[in-house]
Amino acid sequence: MVLDQINQPEDLKKLNMEQLEALAGEIRRFLIEKLSSTGGHLAPNLGVVELTLALHYYYQSPRDKIIFDVGHQSYVHKILTGRKGNFDTLRKYKGLCGFVKRSESEHDVWEAGHSSTSLSAAMGFASARDLQHKSNKVVAVIGDGAMTGGMAFEAMNHIGHEGKNLVVILNDNEMSIAPNVGAMHNYLSKIRSDRHYLKAKDDVEYLLKKIPAIGGKVAKTVEKLKDSLKYLLVNGVLFEELGFQYMGPVDGHNLPQLLETLRQADNLDGPVLIHVLTLKGKGYSPAEADSHTWHGISPYKIESGQVMKASGPPMYTEVFGNALIELAEADSRIVAVTPAMPGGSGLLRFQERFPDRMIDVGIAEQHAATFCAGLAMEGMKPVYAVYSTFMQRAYDQIVHDIARQNLNVVFAIDRAGFVGPDGETHQGIYDMAFMRSIPNLTVMMPKDEQELRSMLYTALQYDDGPIALRYPRISGRGVELAPMSLIPIGSWEVVRGGSDGVVLAVGPMVEVAEEAAHRLAAHGISLRVVNARFIKPMDQAMLLALAAEHLPVITIEEGVRMGGFGSAVLEFYADHDIYGLPVKNLAIPDYFVEHGSIKEQRAEVGLTAESVAGQLAAFIQKKRQHA
């Protein structure tokens, strides 16, 4: 096998074209086999095999900087840069990361798990190169979906203005995670439909040169004519007006064509955009037929494409989506808004039922937030469905456009807490801390799927400003679903009685706290467990009652300790001049928790029932000794 000979990018340069094309097929088979066991981003990587081979064949990595946007399409890059032997550990605890990881390889020059960052990074790399008088190349690989992100256009404007020598590879597969939307998608569709771009441009120049008796003054007129004709004949005019020289569309699965285009781009001064057309999921029929499902996939059977899913209660995402449909049936003002995540946010059935009231704005979290503000101002009930990790990209809009104007926007925050194999770039552990600092914003989290339903109902009835409902990336507890009901804002509930101490738990940590309390009961320790379902506002009456009992208070949350729910409890007692009350915060320490299973991530930071029980026992015993 050719793949056996490839350990570093330099090994590619020893191959002829026939061997390179054979290698492409071997890499596809390798990916299909390995990911059937580990899961991961299969379809995006099957689509960039030839493109990644061409990049590493032509450029001199790591001297030349190859920057992948998002990084979930970097598996082929990892295979070519010495990591194919570790693919059995992909996305597993302490194993190979599913994204670009600088600590893994010198060839990983930029880390990202969020989209639309590559062009800004490339501009930084190119500017540093020029300031240091170096001569290396800088190449950014960005998908057409990521081009809908405003940050990409900010970077293109800067790059074009400065005229930096760098190459942008626009990997156009008509998909990000979901089918792309918007004017940019439609614009690229028009370019895809006309493959005569280069020929048209060359023909115009040729015809102009054939016009006889052109003097200096006439030449200027001809240049203007040429520019006018460009608007009629050149599909890449948007990029050229931004200061880029446009090349394409290029067949992204044709290695000779890709390599020739890279050579041509190398001969041009200033920024170049190469428009490459690829097929997401290429080489594996299930992924080609449904690249949305196969974007990020669980382990599967290779022959049938059957995805192996664990049985059990529904995911919180599914419960949310079904509840939203139920509520939207009764209220035509409810509108779902998502930044390119209709499937991941559980809105596909909502989209089928209410196509006019499900709005996918593309990868544009900031726009989505302010768009919701406008909807709310006109009496609609926008539900902004977004992953916690992506919501943080819209922090300014939440503060400035929504909370400051006290608008009735509902934030449905999925993947709140640990997210498992996607790791540190996607952890949903920061939103509690940054949201509780925003005036007018109410924040809540359910202990189970029925409480999620009632919280969504409560949020859509709430008319006193923005309200956030956060829920985790796990299955529910299997409770029986019932009609939705209003939950008093700021109210907590005692779910287990106890007299030796009180645990204030948030979301899925309620179940962890209950199990820990059960373990400790066998050792004579009686713990009260409270479902602290409102992070903001908190149940002040209960907090004051606990202080009067002078019981040790333990907070537990699957969020960062600094500024989180536990900090809020401490602040409350300090503000009320309550001193000497034993309070312990169990939360996530101040470092980035990497990929692995959610169970492993919780174990690492001490948020399992066993670990919590041990920490609570030690805390209670210490309090008894000092009593």
Side-chain angles (χ1 to χ4, degrees):
M1 290 180 61
V2 182
L3 184 56
D4 293 338
Q5 307 170 31
I6 308 300
N7 296 303
Q8 291 295 330
E10 286 301 310
D11 297 331
L12 290 176
K13 304 180 194 311
K14 304 170 187 176
L15 305 180
N16 58 35
M17 189 56 61
E18 183 179 350
Q19 291 173 310
L20 281 174
E21 291 175 341
L23 177 60
E26 292 177 15
I27 289 174
R28 282 197 170 88
R29 289 191 292 274
F30 178 91
L31 287 171
I32 293 167
E33 177 186 342
K34 294 296 184 181
L35 269 63
S36 70
S37 298
T38 64
H41 293 94
L42 180 64
N45 286 283
L46 292 177
V48 297
V49 174
E50 288 86 2
L51 175 58
T52 310
L53 282 171
L55 290 170
H56 277 296
Y57 185 88
Y58 186 77
Y59 293 106
Q60 303 288 332
S61 178
R63 178 181 180 273
D64 294 332
K65 311 302 179 185
I66 301 174
I67 301 164
F68 291 95
D69 202 276
V70 183
H72 62 238
Q73 79 286 45
S74 64
Y75 294 4
V76 184
H77 163 79
K78 289 173 182 274
I79 290 169
L80 300 176
T81 53
R83 285 167 277 181
K84 64 177 185 285
N86 295 330
F87 257 74
D88 290 333
T89 71
L90 181 70
R91 290 160 53 89
K92 294 182 179 179
Y93 191 60
K94 303 299 183 183
L96 202 61
C97 181
F99 299 89
V100 174
K101 186 76 172 172
R102 293 171 65 212
S103 60
E104 281 185 7
S105 171
E106 63 180 346
H107 299 280
D108 290 12
V109 299
W110 176 252
E111 293 183 14
H114 296 177
S115 83
S116 312
T117 67
S118 60
L119 303 188
S120 298
M123 182 58 178
F125 276 94
S127 297
R129 172 200 62 199
D130 294 347
L131 288 168
Q132 297 171 27
H133 307 291
K134 295 179 180 179
S135 58
N136 60 284
K137 311 294 184 184
V138 176
V139 185
V141 183
I142 185 170
D144 52 320
M147 286 292 284
T148 66
M151 187 175 174
F153 281 92
E154 294 175 18
M156 289 185 73
N157 184 57
H158 187 202
I159 293 167
H161 175 74
E162 296 291 339
K164 287 293 180 186
N165 286 331
L166 58 82
V167 173
V168 174
I169 306 291
L170 174 55
N171 174 32
D172 181 1
N173 56 31
E174 304 186 58
M175 290 277 290
S176 50
I177 296 175
N180 291 327
V181 297
M184 172 55 71
H185 169 65
N186 294 333
Y187 176 72
L188 293 177
S189 294
K190 290 173 67 176
I191 297 178
R192 292 183 209 110
S193 66
D194 183 1
R195 303 300 183 90
H196 304 295
Y197 162 75
L198 289 175
K199 186 176 187 303
K201 188 174 182 180
D202 292 341
D203 286 351
V204 169
E205 293 181 3
Y206 176 78
L207 289 171
L208 290 174
K209 290 177 181 177
K210 289 293 184 181
I211 298 175
I214 294 179
K217 292 183 179 180
V218 181
K220 292 181 180 180
T221 303
V222 172
E223 275 300 312
K224 291 181 180 179
L225 172 63
K226 177 181 168 184
D227 286 342
S228 299
L229 288 172
K230 180 174 69 174
Y231 281 89
L232 296 175
L233 297 172
V234 177
N235 280 318
V237 67
L238 170 63
F239 302 111
E240 296 204 349
E241 290 303 306
L242 284 170
F244 285 75
Q245 298 181 74
Y246 174 90
M247 300 180 71
V250 180
D251 182 352
H253 304 298
N254 186 322
L255 272 165
Q257 189 178 5
L258 284 168
L259 290 168
E260 177 57 30
T261 305
L262 292 177
R263 291 189 187 97
Q264 291 177 8
D266 212 15
N267 292 326
L268 299 174
D269 289 326
V272 178
L273 186 140
I274 302 175
H275 185 182
V276 177
L277 304 182
T278 60
L279 176 63
K280 202 169 184 180
K282 183 174 176 61
Y284 186 52
S285 55
E288 287 186 17
D290 185 4
S291 56
H292 171 257
T293 298
W294 289 82
H295 172 85
I297 198 71
S298 302
Y300 54 91
K301 295 180 180 179
I302 297 175
E303 295 77 12
S304 64
Q306 179 185 350
V307 180
M308 292 175 275
K309 294 184 178 179
S311 60
M315 300 283 285
Y316 279 94
T317 303
E318 182 183 346
V319 175
F320 157 75
N322 291 337
L324 188 62
I325 291 173
E326 192 176 331
L327 292 166
E329 294 279 6
D331 192 339
S332 62
R333 295 172 297 170
I334 294 174
V335 178
V337 177
T338 183
M341 298 300 293
S345 293
L347 294 174
L348 292 181
R349 287 189 62 244
F350 186 97
Q351 187 174 39
E352 292 173 2
R353 177 66 185 85
F354 308 105
D356 295 336
R357 289 196 272 153
M358 213 303 288
I359 303 167
D360 182 352
V361 302
I363 301 177
E365 294 88 356
Q366 295 169 300
H367 162 64
T370 303
F371 171 62
C372 286
L375 286 169
M377 279 188 163
E378 288 300 301
M380 301 302 288
K381 291 185 174 182
V383 177
Y384 183 4
V386 62
Y387 291 6
S388 171
T389 187
F390 299 142
M391 180 186 173
Q392 65 199 31
R393 309 186 89 191
Y395 180 76
D396 179 62
Q397 286 69 31
I398 296 168
V399 173
H400 184 270
D401 300 335
I402 295 175
R404 188 180 56 83
Q405 300 186 88
N406 204 35
L407 299 174
N408 296 326
V409 174
V410 176
F411 296 99
I413 306 171
D414 204 333
R415 273 66 167 175
F418 285 129
V419 297
D422 281 341
E424 59 191 298
T425 58
H426 285 64
Q427 305 287 26
I429 59 178
Y430 307 104
D431 62 89
M432 273 194 291
F434 74 68
M435 284 193 299
R436 59 169 290 261
S437 66
I438 301 174
N440 296 336
L441 182 58
T442 296
V443 185
M444 54 188 175
M445 189 172 195
K447 71 177 185 303
D448 57 39
E449 52 269 50
Q450 175 56 31
E451 194 165 55
L452 182 151
R453 287 166 49 81
S454 291
M455 281 187 171
L456 182 60
Y457 174 73
T458 300
L460 286 164
Q461 296 299 314
Y462 186 68
D463 61 359
D464 194 24
I467 186 166
L469 164 59
R470 56 194 311 273
Y471 43 95
R473 187 189 188 181
I474 58 175
S475 296
R477 299 178 65 175
V479 303
E480 184 176 348
L481 299 185
M484 298 176 238
S485 59
L486 280 174
I487 301 175
I489 299 297
S491 66
W492 294 348
E493 65 169 352
V494 177
V495 295
R496 181 186 177 100
S499 56
D500 291 326
V502 180
V503 182
L504 307 178
V506 175
M509 292 296 102
V510 173
E511 184 176 12
V512 171
E514 287 180 294
E515 187 177 338
H518 177 73
R519 288 170 179 244
L520 293 179
H523 299 280
I525 298 176
S526 173
L527 279 180
R528 189 181 310 170
V529 177
V530 174
N531 171 23
R533 55 194 176 188
F534 283 91
I535 295 101
K536 181 185 178 185
M538 299 186 298
D539 192 328
Q540 297 191 18
M542 187 178 291
L543 284 169
L544 290 172
L546 293 176
E549 290 185 69
H550 206 74
L551 289 175
V553 174
I554 303 100
T555 68
I556 176 169
E557 62 195 295
E558 197 172 65
V560 292
R561 177 182 289 118
M562 299 180 71
F565 169 70
S567 295
V569 172
L570 289 169
E571 290 164 14
F572 175 85
Y573 285 134
D575 288 345
H576 287 77
D577 299 321
I578 297 172
Y579 306 112
L581 183 69
V583 180
K584 183 177 182 63
N585 298 148
L586 300 184
I588 299 170
D590 187 27
Y591 71 93
F592 290 106
V593 180
E594 298 188 351
H595 58 281
S597 69
I598 291 176
K599 181 178 180 180
E600 289 167 330
Q601 289 166 340
R602 287 179 177 175
E604 181 177 318
V605 299
L607 292 180
T608 62
E610 182 179 10
S611 176
V612 167
Q615 294 178 76
L616 298 188
F619 184 61
I620 298 295
Q621 294 292 358
K622 187 174 182 180
K623 194 268 178 185
R624 285 175 174 175
Q625 292 170 5
H626 289 84

